[in-house]
Amino acid sequence: MTETLLQSIARDLLSLLWPASCLGCGRPDRDWCVECAAGFARSHRLIEVPHDSGEARAGSIRGRWIAAAPYADVMRHLIVRYKHHGQRSFAAALAGALEGPLAEVMSGGPPGGVLVVPMPSRGGAVRRRGYRPLEEILRLVCFADGRRVGRAELRRGRVLAATRGRTGQVGLGIAERRRNAARLRVASGAQVDGRYVVLVDDIVTTGATLNAATAALEASGARVLGAAVLAVTLTRHDRISAHFGRIAQLNSQYEEERGNV
């Protein structure tokens, strides 16, 4: 998106009060310059993340997990600045990255009949930040056909809720992550029986949180199509080489739909 003259003047004035440098190229006076924003928008890809969701339950779907990028470089900086440093202006860039994975996973369900469920934020984190990162990003997603995530797809109330004792996953081992991630439940009053669901998260590492959310939703009668995530950690990304053929096919289809080919 081209920066207008007024936007440029406003940024120049803000830089006098709060000096900044572009997280992409280091250029002074801009936290995210126009050139880096455009380059990031062109870099979005679809990465199919292999996962083991455990023993399939009766009637369950083998869901697909699709990521937009590895958790590295500019994507990592954007997520950290947005989620942990309160720089909410990066939400639009992250929404643009999430559009491809979200559209791909939602395509497995009936048109207009898919419930989009972001992973829940812990209460303490919400109070500290003052916003729910994933929900804010989802409200800014705009699909290739101009459609946005509607009210019917993004329920106003929470669908998933953390139970007592759940903490952040950073720093936990694999077994600890699994136990901590299991502290999820379907929120009181959430009607998910018979609904097709797509999960949304910012980062997938071991997959424990997405597996726990899938189990909780399926136990309440939902049919989980899979998950759309912004980034996959490099430890998992390195295990995707066997899937390169499928990734290339997905990217070709995606670029054709976006008019980039």
Side-chain angles (χ1 to χ4, degrees), residues 15-82:
S15 69
L16 296 175
L17 299 173
W18 295 285
S21 60
C22 176
L23 64 79
C25 65
R27 181 182 302 178
D29 300 336
R30 298 288 187 275
D31 55 8
W32 189 223
C33 74
V34 174
E35 290 77 10
C36 284
F40 179 72
R42 291 192 299 269
S43 71
H44 304 159
R45 291 294 182 266
L46 300 178
I47 300 174
E48 189 147 11
V49 183
H51 64 95
D52 178 11
S53 56
E55 185 177 352
R57 287 162 288 278
S60 65
I61 300 172
R62 173 67 180 182
R64 300 170 61 205
W65 295 359
I66 307 291
Y71 184 57
D73 304 323
V74 173
M75 176 61 87
R76 177 178 178 275
H77 291 309
L78 279 171
I79 292 175
V80 170
R81 295 267 194 103
Y82 170 67

Side-chain angles (χ1 to χ4, degrees), residues 1-251:
M1 182 174 64
T2 304
E3 187 175 53
T4 67
L5 177 60
L6 287 177
Q7 288 173 328
S8 179
I9 292 173
R11 283 180 178 270
D12 288 338
L13 291 174
L14 286 172
S15 69
L16 296 175
L17 299 173
W18 295 285
S21 60
C22 176
L23 64 79
C25 65
R27 181 182 302 178
D29 300 336
R30 298 288 187 275
D31 55 8
W32 189 223
C33 74
V34 174
E35 290 77 10
C36 284
F40 179 72
R42 291 192 299 269
S43 71
H44 304 159
R45 291 294 182 266
L46 300 178
I47 300 174
E48 189 147 11
V49 183
H51 64 95
D52 178 11
S53 56
E55 185 177 352
R57 287 162 288 278
S60 65
I61 300 172
R62 173 67 180 182
R64 300 170 61 205
W65 295 359
I66 307 291
Y71 184 57
D73 304 323
V74 173
M75 176 61 87
R76 177 178 178 275
H77 291 309
L78 279 171
I79 292 175
V80 170
R81 295 267 194 103
Y82 170 67
K83 187 175 179 180
H84 300 295
H85 296 281
Q87 293 184 253
R88 297 170 74 175
S89 60
F90 294 136
L94 293 172
L98 185 62
E99 180 268 327
L102 186 58
E104 183 67 27
V105 182
M106 288 179 70
S107 68
V114 177
L115 183 64
V116 178
V117 178
M119 291 296 97
S121 299
R122 290 174 292 117
V126 174
R127 289 189 292 273
R128 184 173 64 254
R129 295 187 186 112
Y131 61 100
R132 298 178 185 272
L134 287 174
E135 293 180 25
E136 189 165 283
I137 290 171
L138 282 168
R139 283 193 287 269
L140 295 174
V141 169
C142 182
F143 296 110
D145 60 3
R147 185 175 58 86
R148 295 185 177 274
V149 180
R151 291 183 179 179
E153 296 163 320
L154 185 60
R155 184 175 179 270
R156 182 175 293 278
R158 307 284 89 77
V159 174
L160 291 171
T163 59
R164 185 180 297 276
R166 192 168 192 269
T167 64
Q169 295 280 70
V170 177
L172 300 181
I174 294 176
E176 292 172 308
R177 279 176 173 268
R178 190 176 295 114
R179 286 193 294 270
N180 187 56
R183 298 186 175 101
L184 278 178
R185 62 177 175 83
V186 174
S188 177
Q191 302 296 321
V192 298
D193 188 20
R195 296 294 304 273
Y196 287 88
V197 172
V198 171
L199 298 169
V200 176
D201 209 351
D202 52 0
I203 306 164
V204 58
T205 304
T206 65
T209 301
L210 292 174
N211 282 333
T214 297
L217 286 161
E218 288 184 344
S220 294
R223 296 174 65 81
V224 181
L225 295 169
V229 297
L230 285 168
V232 55
T233 54
L234 290 173
T235 52
R236 290 187 65 90
H237 185 251
D238 290 342
R239 294 163 54 192
I240 297 176
S241 58
H243 295 252
F244 279 161
R246 175 60 177 156
I247 293 169
Q249 180 183 356
L250 283 172
N251 284 332

